[in-house]
Amino acid sequence: MDKNEEKQREEEREQVVSPWEVSSSGKIDYDKLIDKFGCQRLDQSLVDRVQRLTGRPPHVFLRRGVFFAHRDLNDILDAYEKGEKFYLYTGRGPSSEALHLGHLVPFMFTNRYLQDAFKVPLVIQLTDDEKCMWKNLSVEESQRLARENAKDIIACGFDVTKTFIFSDFDYVGGAFYKNMVKVAKCVTYNKVVGIFGFTGEDHIGKVSFPPVQAVPSFPSSFPHLFSGKDHLRCLIPCAIDQDPYFRMTRDVAPRIGYHKPALIESSFFPALQGETGKMSASDPNSAIYVTDSAKAIKNKINKYAFSGGQESVELHRKLGANLEVDIPVKYLSFFLEDDAELEHIKKEYGAGGMLTGEVKQRLAKVLTELVERHQVARAAVTDEMVDAFMAVRPLPNMFD
Amino acid sequence: MAYSKDQLLARLKDLQIEFSQYEHPAVMTVEAQAKYVGNIGGGLSKNLFLKDKKHRFYIVSALADTKVDMKVLSQRLGLGKGGLRMAPEETMLEILKVPLGSVTPFALVNESARDVALLLDKGFKAQERCFFHPLSNDMSISLNTNDLDKFLKSIGRDPAYVDLEANPAVGKDQPPDLAAFVPSGSTVLPDLPDPASAVQSAGGSHVNANNNCKAATEKAIKPAKDVQNVKDKSAKAVNPSSSFTDAEKFVEEILDRISAKLLSETKEGNIAQQGQELGNEIANRLRKCCYPELKNLATIFKNTAYTQGFHAGKASSLTQCPRT
């Protein structure tokens, strides 16, 4: 194979991962991504360390490698060991009303694990301005979507005494804006083009947006929460496609006298049809939505979930399933809490003892339980509750 | 004063109701009962004592072979999909004045059971005679449905027979067909202890209290007689469900879920398999599987309380410091 052919092969396997596009001609190569972005693998020793420090079993997503990469997590843990607290920062771009399971992943991890295990506060940014600009929504519509999404986020179980949710349109100004300007001064136009791929045709709103997503990493952006705590560290759980924003932020932070935020990053939740991309809110059959009924969930899994099983029962019993591409097993590894059961399923299914139908049935049960629990919680979230979460108020018990 | 078996039998004779009685060792299930009276002609009955979320009670009396689907029944009564549960044993004693294994339409003779609804299987009508316990499960009496009706009328009840296996659609244009059976008076109960011990199977068939403890408490509080619309996609409750504002209802909700999970853990021969270890085993499994769900509920409760306090605080500062 000569040099040219090799190069061609390389380019063909090109994958695109950015905050606005995730696609690949084959499976997403996460190792390559880690190399390209320059972050670190979250290995077992780190997971063990977290377990020791928090005194509780690590979350499913950590055990199964869903959250698989990080930046400076060790520094946060070092500080925590010495008694220094930190705060969490995560966010959502409210581009649609329909939230699917993939969207819930960072919130589930942040809430049911990080917030509980470390007992730290959380700020959640709703980037309604970003969606207004990128998706060409009206200001009112993006604000409305932000509030609707906030309800689903709250339904994940966040504690109002430790969580501050804000939308950019509401909150940008004051100390937040001051930090935005400080950050903006440190990033050249060329740099931002290099990181985000802007062209001369992109409007200036887009170009000046990155600081908005950067500054929640700095405690001084939230004087009502962290005044006097300028050296509070920040940990950002997010999907790996958000890494570019925070690479930029980490670059700028020391130059303006702040700690670099640490990151803990997750892989993409695969679409029902297979691993080649991430779920899209615009294709209803690529995902399980939090509004889906038990029937719809069962239907979608049965009809659209890409199966690694063989074409016929006989063949399947002989060869077993291809676990690499099988979506139901992948989904189970996200949401089936019982390690032993998952192992059993993988073993039996991989050997051909278990059939695709059974695996899909198990998955339907797990997802239905999850979604129904979410729906109950969602129904209890009122507009007043959203107001309370979004009110600019102190959180005196945030470290309890 | 609770009616005794002898008092009931005496009363039946007074009413000139024709019945045959058969004594046998105490039986807890229809299968066991069948061993003693199964070959005598007549339909054996299974009797379920159920309750809904608003503490209303129901006796569902059906032929042993009739399939009773609690979810369907719940919807037909207008209680939503998960609105019916097996009633705890304490309530059986308190309201029906009968112990576990003895639920029977005859229990309605007691004053305390005046607000309990009765649903009778229309399948009984096709039988020459049907068997029921006369307030005690060490005896079965068989009688014709006409005679049963005579008795019910004598205690002021209007006997109504229902096709229990039917599954009609319930929705916006099709109101729940059994809604009329829902009692309008409410029964006041004394403090109930932990219902986790209330695994009852009156009549013994495997009618599972809804494994699926996803009660969708999606609608507004007002305890109005509503046709519950469970599948409301964008349920924007104007007021939060009372499960999350009322401590009593909240605890009920939690205990309902625990008992439902408990029932699902104790079915199907677990008892035989595990024997003494069962208690520990169940306690552990319960803890594991209930924890995330209950934590979710508790967080919603906390958030709701905070929200109400927050708005009260805002309003109070507005009224105290008028803008100048």
Side-chain angles (χ1 to χ4, degrees):
Chain A
M1 199 171 10
D2 70 356
K3 266 284 170 101
N4 279 332
E5 273 185 71
E6 247 192 285
K7 215 168 163 209
Q8 220 183 1
R9 283 290 199 90
E10 271 296 308
E11 269 158 354
E12 274 176 273
R13 258 180 271 128
E14 193 58 45
Q15 56 188 23
V16 179
V17 176
S18 81
W20 303 288
E21 190 193 339
V22 175
S23 63
S24 163
S25 49
K27 228 173 75 155
I28 304 262
D29 185 340
Y30 286 107
D31 285 315
K32 213 165 159 209
L33 210 51
I34 290 184
D35 277 336
K36 183 167 166 211
F37 283 173
C39 41
Q40 263 106 25
R41 267 261 167 208
L42 226 178
D43 57 22
Q44 189 57 39
S45 64
L46 209 43
V47 174
D48 291 337
R49 186 174 181 204
V50 169
Q51 174 163 18
R52 273 197 314 272
L53 270 180
T54 57
R56 48 175 87 191
H59 189 264
V60 169
F61 292 163
L62 276 178
R63 298 200 307 268
R64 310 269 171 81
V66 171
F67 275 83
F68 71 109
H70 76 95
R71 289 182 189 276
D72 287 352
L73 183 58
N74 269 314
D75 290 357
I76 293 259
L77 296 179
D78 288 340
Y80 187 75
E81 231 167 7
K82 296 202 202 92
E84 266 178 58
K85 296 282 195 170
F86 59 93
Y87 73 101
L88 295 163
Y89 154 41
T90 191
R92 158 135 179 96
S95 56
S96 62
E97 208 151 343
L99 268 149
H100 55 61
L101 293 181
H103 292 134
L104 291 188
V105 165
F107 294 112
M108 285 166 65
F109 185 60
T110 306
N111 170 44
R112 263 180 235 127
Y113 186 65
L114 292 175
Q115 227 186 357
D116 280 352
F118 289 101
K119 302 259 177 285
V120 290
L122 164 70
V123 304
I124 302 181
Q125 178 183 44
L126 296 169
T127 56
D128 40 6
D129 51 347
E130 181 203 0
K131 292 308 171 184
C132 176
M133 290 193 276
W134 262 269
K135 301 276 176 171
N136 200 18
L137 301 169
S138 73
V139 171
E140 291 75 24
E141 180 62 5
S142 49
Q143 280 187 296
R144 187 189 73 82
L145 286 178
R147 278 187 72 96
E148 282 308 305
N149 283 182
K151 291 184 184 166
D152 277 296
I153 292 174
I154 291 172
C156 290
F158 289 105
D159 182 337
V160 70
T161 62
K162 302 189 177 170
T163 307
F164 173 55
I165 301 182
F166 65 100
S167 90
D168 290 340
F169 277 134
D170 285 338
Y171 191 68
V172 170
F176 195 88
Y177 184 59
K178 292 177 188 164
N179 278 338
M180 275 170 61
V181 171
K182 286 192 196 173
V183 169
K185 280 167 72 172
C186 294
V187 185
T188 63
Y189 178 73
N190 286 336
K191 188 99 192 265
V192 95
V193 165
I195 298 179
F196 299 109
F198 295 138
T199 68
E201 296 306 303
D202 285 311
H203 60 68
I204 55 177
K206 291 189 184 178
V207 177
S208 48
F209 176 74
V212 179
Q213 189 156 327
V215 310
S217 332
F218 308 131
S220 53
S221 305
F222 304 103
H224 64 286
L225 295 177
F226 305 130
S227 88
K229 295 196 179 68
D230 275 359
H231 292 288
L232 192 61
R233 288 167 187 272
C234 177
L235 174 62
I236 309 177
C238 61
I240 194 160
D241 62 346
Q242 301 296 310
D243 194 85
Y245 279 116
F246 303 114
R247 270 206 309 278
M248 178 197 81
T249 311
R250 285 168 55 88
D251 198 49
V252 170
R255 294 197 271 162
I256 51 180
Y258 293 136
H259 275 307
K260 293 187 194 181
L263 280 97
I264 181 167
E265 297 162 299
S266 68
S267 56
F268 301 116
F269 194 63
L272 272 174
Q273 287 93 342
E275 272 268 19
T276 50
K278 69 179 189 182
M279 279 172 154
S280 161
S282 40
D283 175 8
N285 289 323
S286 67
I288 306 283
Y289 289 93
V290 298
T291 45
D292 282 344
S293 65
K295 209 164 138 213
I297 292 175
K298 193 165 136 205
N299 211 26
K300 282 190 192 179
I301 293 177
N302 283 335
K303 263 169 97 175
Y304 299 105
F306 186 81
S307 163
Q310 302 299 338
E311 273 141 25
S312 70
V313 176
E314 297 79 35
L315 214 54
H316 183 87
R317 296 263 186 232
K318 221 165 56 160
L319 301 172
N322 180 357
L323 295 180
E324 283 295 301
V325 302
D326 186 87
I327 289 296
V329 162
K330 285 236 158 28
Y331 275 29
L332 282 173
S333 71
F334 273 79
F335 297 116
L336 181 58
E337 302 251 347
D338 188 339
D339 286 341
E341 195 186 343
L342 184 66
E343 267 322 294
H344 173 81
I345 292 179
K346 278 176 154 173
K347 206 169 116 205
E348 289 299 306
Y349 190 46
M354 209 181 254
L355 297 175
T356 300
E358 294 171 66
V359 180
K360 285 192 172 185
Q361 207 180 35
R362 184 72 183 102
L363 178 65
K365 182 150 180 271
V366 169
L367 293 187
T368 302
E369 230 179 83
L370 192 81
V371 167
E372 284 183 351
R373 193 186 315 161
H374 185 94
Q375 285 169 356
V376 168
R378 174 68 163 83
V381 178
T382 57
D383 279 303
E384 286 76 25
M385 200 184 280
V386 175
D387 289 337
F389 268 91
M390 294 182 74
V392 176
R393 70 211 186 276
L395 298 178
N397 304 67
M398 58 183 167
F399 290 112
D400 290 351
Chain B
M1 258 303 296
Y3 255 75
S4 75
K5 173 178 71 184
D6 294 319
Q7 285 174 315
L8 175 70
L9 296 178
R11 179 147 172 170
L12 291 180
K13 290 193 184 109
D14 280 342
L15 289 168
Q16 293 182 332
I17 285 174
E18 200 260 299
F19 66 92
S20 314
Q21 68 187 65
Y22 308 90
E23 279 176 20
H24 49 66
V27 291
M28 294 299 286
T29 63
V30 172
E31 286 79 24
Q33 186 187 31
K35 280 201 277 240
Y36 303 105
V37 294
N39 322 337
I40 309 165
L44 293 181
S45 67
K46 61 186 175 195
N47 297 273
L48 309 168
F49 188 44
L50 308 173
K51 87 179 234 297
D52 69 17
K53 289 181 179 304
K54 297 200 177 149
H55 310 290
R56 296 177 296 214
F57 294 84
Y58 309 78
I59 292 182
V60 173
S61 186
L63 284 176
D65 293 331
T66 300
K67 291 202 185 10
V68 176
D69 184 330
M70 297 263 273
K71 282 204 286 274
V72 168
L73 210 52
S74 177
Q75 270 189 307
R76 289 174 71 189
L77 286 163
L79 303 173
K81 244 197 224 169
L84 273 184
R85 304 238 186 277
M86 303 293 255
E89 187 182 349
E90 297 77 31
T91 53
M92 227 186 289
L93 290 165
E94 209 33 67
I95 297 177
L96 294 186
K97 307 274 193 241
V98 296
L100 208 55
S102 312
V103 176
T104 165
F106 289 107
L108 295 175
V109 73
N110 289 301
E111 239 320 275
S112 51
R114 69 182 172 285
D115 289 321
V116 176
L118 176 66
L119 277 94
L120 294 164
D121 186 356
K122 82 170 205 288
F124 285 142
K125 285 271 179 207
Q127 296 281 329
E128 183 65 45
R129 307 172 79 77
C130 298
F131 286 89
F132 300 97
H133 286 311
L135 302 181
S136 169
N137 62 354
D138 60 1
M139 183 188 276
S140 300
I141 58 173
S142 76
L143 69 169
N144 182 274
T145 49
N146 290 328
D147 284 313
L148 177 63
D149 291 350
K150 209 164 160 189
F151 170 76
L152 291 171
K153 288 200 191 109
S154 82
I155 56 170
R157 290 275 179 164
D158 192 20
Y161 293 80
V162 167
D163 180 357
L164 289 173
E165 286 189 339
N167 186 354
V170 174
K172 209 172 56 158
D173 299 318
Q174 305 96 352
D177 68 318
L178 300 178
F181 284 90
V182 175
S184 46
S186 53
T187 353
V188 177
L189 287 172
D191 281 65
L192 293 177
D194 186 4
S197 53
V199 180
Q200 59 109 316
S201 50
S205 53
H206 293 295
V207 178
N208 290 325
N210 238 342
N211 270 359
N212 182 7
C213 36
K214 291 351 136 202
T217 46
E218 268 163 85
K219 273 315 179 175
I221 10 62
K222 312 202 172 67
K225 235 46 42 135
D226 26 16
V227 176
Q228 279 272 6
N229 190 359
V230 173
K231 269 302 155 206
D232 190 58
K233 278 200 168 187
S234 55
K236 274 196 230 170
V238 172
N239 285 310
S241 156
S242 60
S243 287
F244 301 118
T245 51
D246 180 327
E248 203 180 292
K249 299 243 165 65
F250 179 60
V251 171
E252 266 294 318
E253 178 80 23
I254 291 187
L255 292 175
D256 276 350
R257 285 170 189 247
I258 293 182
S259 1
K261 275 274 167 26
L262 192 70
L263 285 168
S264 73
E265 294 286 328
T266 50
K267 70 177 179 178
E268 284 168 24
N270 276 1
I271 299 175
Q273 283 169 8
Q274 315 224 330
Q276 279 183 341
E277 281 306 301
L278 187 67
N280 269 330
E281 175 69 20
I282 290 189
N284 286 333
R285 297 230 288 250
L286 213 58
R287 192 171 274 264
K288 213 167 84 162
C289 67
C290 282
Y291 177 80
E293 206 175 317
L294 296 183
K295 177 154 178 288
N296 210 31
L297 289 182
T299 305
I300 300 174
F301 192 78
K302 180 179 182 185
N303 288 346
T304 307
Y306 179 103
T307 300
Q308 293 178 330
F310 178 75
H311 287 280
K314 258 177 43 177
S316 116
S317 62
L318 279 177
T319 56
Q320 282 182 14
C321 315
R323 292 192 214 130
T324 39

